[in-house]
Structures are given as C-alpha cells and as structure tokens.
Amino acid sequence: MQERIISYDPCTLEPVGDVAVTSPESIGTVVERSRKVFAEWSSLEHDDRRIVLRAFKRTVLARGHEVARTVASETGKPIGDAYAFDVVTSLTVMDHYLRHAHRYLKPRRAGSWPYLSTRGWTEYHPRGVVGVISPSNYPFFLSMIPAFTALAAGCSVVLKPSEKTPLTGELLGHIAGDAGLPPDLVQVVHGAGNVGAALVNQVDAVAFTGSTAVGKKVGETAGRRLIPAVLELGGKDPIIVLDDAHLRRTAQAVVWSGMLNAGQTCVSVERVYAVDAIYAPFLAELDRALEDVAAGTDDRHEIGPVIDQAQLELIEAHIADALAKGARLVRGGRRVENVSGFYYEPTLLTEVDHTMAIMREETFGPIISVMRVADEQAAVEMANDNRYGLHASVWGRDRSRAARIASRIRSGTVAINDLDVNFIMPSLPFGGIGDSGLGVAFGPEGIRSFCYAQGITATRLPISTSALLGARYPRRRGLRYWKAVAQALFRW
C-alpha cells in the first residue's frame, strides 16, 4: 500500500485529509513530463501565455474561499487571515506579473561605446523546469509566488509543498488544471526531505522557502549542479523605535506584526530596539495593545496556534533561556491550558540582550522582545548584530532621518513607519542577505531569476567590428597603435 501523509488541524489535532507520498525514485519521471510540456509552453508568445495565466488568476479568485478554508484547516489561522494573506496576496502577485512580465522580459538594448560599429541587446530565455519547495506558514502564497513567476517566465513547475500542509499544495495543482493550464505544466509531489532532495537533483532551477539549515543544503546541491537557486530563509527581524516615533501607532503595529499568524511570519517583528528617551512610555503602549490579543478561536481579537509540537517546544526553550539569563516576563510566557491545539499566549519580554537565543535565533512564535538602547546609533548597531538579514523597520516622525537610518541597516528589505508591507509589494525585490538567503522574489529581478540572460551583438556596417580593429592575419596593428587608441578613448 502506498504511504500517505495525514494533515492535522493544529487547533483540534484532528486529521483533515491525506495525500499519497511521492517516491523519490519517481521524481525523474515527473520532471521528464515537466520538461516535455516546457518545450511547448516556452515556445508560446507572451500574449498567448498571458491568456492562460489570466484564467489561472480568475480561477484562484473564484475559488478563494475554498483556498482559505483549506489553509485555515491545515494551519489553524483564522479563515479571514487565510483569505487576506494567502489568497489576496497571491492574486496581487499574479496580477502584477500579468501586467508587467512582458516589460521585464523584453529585449534590452545595450550601449556599445566605444565599439560604435556594433549594436547589442540582452534577451531573457526561460531556464526550463523549476522546482518549488514551499513552507507551511503561508502555504498557498509562498507556493504561488515562485510558481506563478516561473510560469510567467515561460518555465514549467514541480511543486513540493510542506508535508505539514499538503492539502493546500494539492489544491493549487488542481486549480491550475481546472483553469486550463496544459497538463503537467504544474505538477505537485509530496513527501519529506528525501523527496525535496530528489527534486533539487533533477530540475533546472529551484525556489526554496524555509529554514536556513535546509536552505543551505538546497544551495549546496544547486551549486554542485550549477543551477540557480532562489532561497528565502529565516529571519530575526528588528524594529528601531526612535525618540520622535508616534508611540501608540508604533506599538499597535508591532503587536499586529508580532502576533499575526501566531508570530509565524518571516517578516514579523522579533526584536525591538527602543531608544532610552521613549522606552518606558513605549513599553506601556505595547502592554496596552496586547490586552486586545488572546490565543484561541472564534473571536476577531484572537490568534491561532503554532503549527506543531516541535514549534511549541522551540518557543518554550527560547523563553526559558531568556528568563534564565535575566529577561523579565511582562505578560504571557506559557502554553494555553485546557485546549487541544498548539496555542501559546501572546508574550512580552523586556530586559533582553544578545546573549539570549530569543534575540539571536528565529523563534517563530507570538513573542515580542524589547531591548532598551541609548540612542539611534546603538539601535543600528544592535539591529545589525545578527547573522540574519531579511526584513527590518524604522519608526520616527522625521522621515529623512528614518530613511538615513534605514539605509544603514543590513537587511534585504526595510520599511519606514510600516511593517511587513515589503512582503506583499510585488513591484519591489524581496529577499534576504546573510543567513536569510540568496536571490529575490518580485519585480524584474524575481522573474529574471528563472531565465538566463543572453547577450547578442550585430554589426552595423558591412565589415565587422573585429575586422575594423585589425583582427586578421597578418597583423596590421602594433603596440604603438593600441597605446594611441587607449589614450584617445580613455584619458578623460
């Protein structure tokens, strides 16, 4: 009998469905089918592909409630959050590339100085089969970003969703088929790390979203095979609160970001640096804002569970380490009792420092840790004192000052007087540095990640540029000639 993956609701711990596991040995056959359909898909004109992909977007829109219901059942998040941050965000990315992919991928003219007898341009060609390996925290959105981008680039896709949220990945594949995409253009495989490893060993490009530890393994395999890898990995995202910040608005934003999806968002606030001048009143505002949040179900003020027991134990370990090293627990700090799911109380910690795991390692839980710093210089130094570099934010009324500080933060994305918005703005590149990954999603950079750039030149004259330069035997140009040319062209 074929092995199956059972998906459980983190709220109730009840099974909600199952899928068949794909054997690693069969991945080669799956990719070969994908390669065959790629030959046809990539040969289509952009406008012809856009017609098909527009139908895909409309089908996601029509079945958005079904998507949100499936996501909610596998992640435990409120269904409204599932619709907002898995369905609407996916539609935003789809709409963006439907509007702009042709512009991002059109041939780009190159300058030809000093070889004016030659013209040149760059063309972007799809690489082939793209393997997408996606996580469980936003299982539809984080599958759709690379999948749709690759399709818009002219590639075919094999998706391996997280084994914790397989039903959402399976649904994405069904929607693609129901929308009229060619058979095998989007295929879905299921399994654990061995299936993902087999996929990376077969495809022409890979997009991975997940932990840094696994992302490094994916990157190593891609490097050995000389295929591109877009790796969106962990984060330990800082926020700097300046002395001129609007404290109530900032506190409300921090609580929203830190509690959204029970803190399981790669761009959520994990460490807060508040300058000494406003530390006490800001802490009071944070505590007040957290009064409106609870862990549970069936209420618009409440947050859902974390994904599983292992995540719950990691959160508890980080809290215990912090308290043992002198942190102060203002509120929360424990599991929710008398419930069946993996719920953890909204938590506020102060008197934290960089000896603590909770300020250095990704926690992925409903926890806000606040550190007092002397001034903005100290805040920047602390924000940059981390191996991650995915997202950050700066809050202050003086926008020029905030922008200067934002530019000094070592992070792939930064928001000023806002949080998380970079994660849903597809016109800007989104990606991390350091242990937060390689490559970017969104914008022209995102879609070109799944293409190879081809530089082409053509002579403007009956005689080639190389011939004009004397590239023939016997040689007609000597050292004196080339030194004179260099002086004439470049001495300015």
Side-chain angles (χ1 to χ4, degrees):
M1 181 179 294
Q2 187 173 15
E3 183 183 358
R4 302 190 74 80
I5 296 174
I6 300 174
S7 179
Y8 293 91
D9 185 338
C11 293
T12 65
L13 309 188
E14 295 294 324
V16 292
D18 61 88
V19 298
V21 173
T22 308
S23 70
E25 295 76 19
S26 68
I27 293 297
T29 302
V30 173
V31 172
E32 186 57 35
R33 291 199 301 267
S34 190
R35 213 176 296 287
K36 289 179 179 177
V37 73
F38 162 72
E40 178 183 348
W41 179 249
S42 62
S43 67
L44 295 177
E45 295 293 332
H46 172 79
D47 287 345
D48 294 327
R49 286 202 298 265
R50 184 162 57 179
I51 290 170
V52 178
L53 294 177
R54 186 181 292 118
F56 191 11
K57 183 191 75 169
R58 289 172 175 167
T59 306
V60 170
L61 178 61
R63 297 176 64 174
H65 188 270
E66 179 186 359
V67 171
R69 187 173 63 245
T70 303
V71 169
S73 73
E74 291 198 291
T75 64
K77 68 180 70 176
I79 192 169
D81 286 2
Y83 198 99
F85 301 110
D86 272 280
V87 178
V88 175
T89 50
S90 293
L91 291 167
T92 301
V93 174
M94 299 171 89
D95 186 76
H96 178 80
Y97 281 120
L98 283 169
R99 295 175 184 273
H100 300 291
H102 67 289
R103 179 166 57 87
Y104 294 156
L105 298 179
K106 72 179 182 179
R108 185 164 55 90
R109 189 171 64 180
S112 57
W113 171 261
Y115 308 113
L116 300 180
S117 59
T118 294
R119 62 189 180 94
W121 65 95
T122 304
E123 293 183 357
Y124 298 96
H125 300 284
R127 285 189 174 270
V129 181
V130 174
V132 174
I133 302 176
S134 60
S136 60
N137 56 333
Y138 293 91
F140 194 80
F141 178 49
L142 293 177
S143 297
M144 185 60 79
I145 290 174
F148 194 86
T149 306
L151 293 172
C155 297
S156 55
V157 171
V158 180
L159 165 67
K160 192 203 87 66
S162 168
E163 58 270 36
K164 299 172 187 177
T165 52
L167 303 182
T168 302
E170 191 75 0
L171 179 58
L172 190 153
H174 288 316
I175 290 175
D178 294 344
L181 272 65
D184 297 330
L185 186 63
V186 176
Q187 296 183 82
V188 182
V189 298
H190 295 285
N194 58 341
V195 176
L199 185 62
V200 177
N201 271 297
Q202 294 284 341
V203 294
D204 304 308
V206 62
F208 172 85
T209 307
S211 72
T212 297
V214 177
K216 287 181 177 180
K217 294 179 181 179
V218 172
E220 288 171 2
T221 302
R224 286 195 302 271
R225 297 192 58 229
L226 297 179
I227 63 171
V230 179
L231 308 174
E232 198 265 275
L233 309 179
K236 193 67 183 178
D237 305 318
I239 171 176
I240 293 175
V241 185
L242 299 170
D243 53 14
D244 63 341
H246 190 297
L247 298 186
R248 177 160 296 181
R249 292 175 187 171
T250 305
Q252 290 171 341
V254 168
V255 169
W256 167 260
S257 176
M259 299 298 114
L260 178 65
N261 200 29
Q264 300 169 112
T265 304
C266 62
V267 294
S268 67
V269 170
E270 290 220 15
R271 46 194 177 114
V272 180
Y273 301 100
V275 299
D276 185 71
I278 50 85
Y279 177 80
F282 176 67
L283 204 59
E285 291 290 353
L286 270 180
D287 193 35
R288 183 180 298 112
L290 278 165
E291 291 177 357
D292 286 334
V293 189
T297 57
D298 302 326
D299 188 277
R300 67 189 182 93
H301 294 277
E302 295 180 334
I303 59 174
V306 297
I307 192 67
D308 60 16
Q309 178 71 20
Q311 191 60 42
L312 203 57
E313 291 173 355
L314 175 65
I315 293 168
E316 290 177 327
H318 280 194
I319 293 289
D321 173 77
L323 295 178
K325 293 176 178 175
R328 184 171 76 91
L329 184 64
V330 178
R331 64 166 63 233
R334 62 183 180 179
R335 298 188 189 195
V336 178
E337 298 178 352
N338 302 318
V339 295
S340 57
F342 302 117
Y343 290 94
Y344 198 85
E345 291 182 348
T347 298
L348 176 60
L349 285 175
T350 62
E351 298 178 28
V352 293
D353 60 47
H354 282 207
T355 68
M356 303 171 185
I358 206 153
M359 293 297 281
R360 302 201 68 83
E361 304 296 329
E362 187 172 48
T363 305
F364 239 45
I367 300 165
I368 297 170
S369 302
V370 187
M371 181 174 175
R372 185 199 299 255
V373 292
D375 50 30
E376 66 180 63
Q377 176 62 31
V380 172
E381 291 175 359
M382 290 294 99
N384 288 337
D385 180 29
N386 199 272
R387 64 191 178 97
Y388 295 106
L390 185 62
H391 185 61
S393 65
V394 181
W395 290 73
R397 285 187 170 93
D398 185 335
R399 296 180 182 179
S400 297
R401 176 193 183 198
R404 289 194 301 272
I405 293 172
S407 297
R408 296 169 58 198
I409 298 176
R410 183 179 171 276
S411 180
T413 61
V414 184
I416 298 171
N417 292 326
D418 209 338
L419 288 165
D420 307 350
V421 68
N422 302 59
F423 193 48
I424 56 174
M425 185 172 287
S427 59
L428 289 175
F430 177 84
I433 60 175
D435 274 11
S436 288
L438 291 171
V440 298
F442 301 161
E445 297 90 346
I447 195 168
R448 291 172 187 166
S449 298
F450 302 118
C451 299
Y452 65 89
Q454 183 182 53
I456 301 176
T457 61
T459 183
R460 290 187 170 100
L461 303 174
I463 185 172
S464 68
T465 298
S466 56
L468 287 172
L469 293 173
R472 62 178 61 183
Y473 293 103
R475 289 189 177 90
R476 299 181 179 180
R477 307 288 188 241
L479 176 60
R480 181 180 298 178
Y481 171 82
W482 289 113
K483 289 177 68 174
V485 168
Q487 287 293 324
L489 293 176
F490 305 123
R491 63 184 174 186
W492 67 275

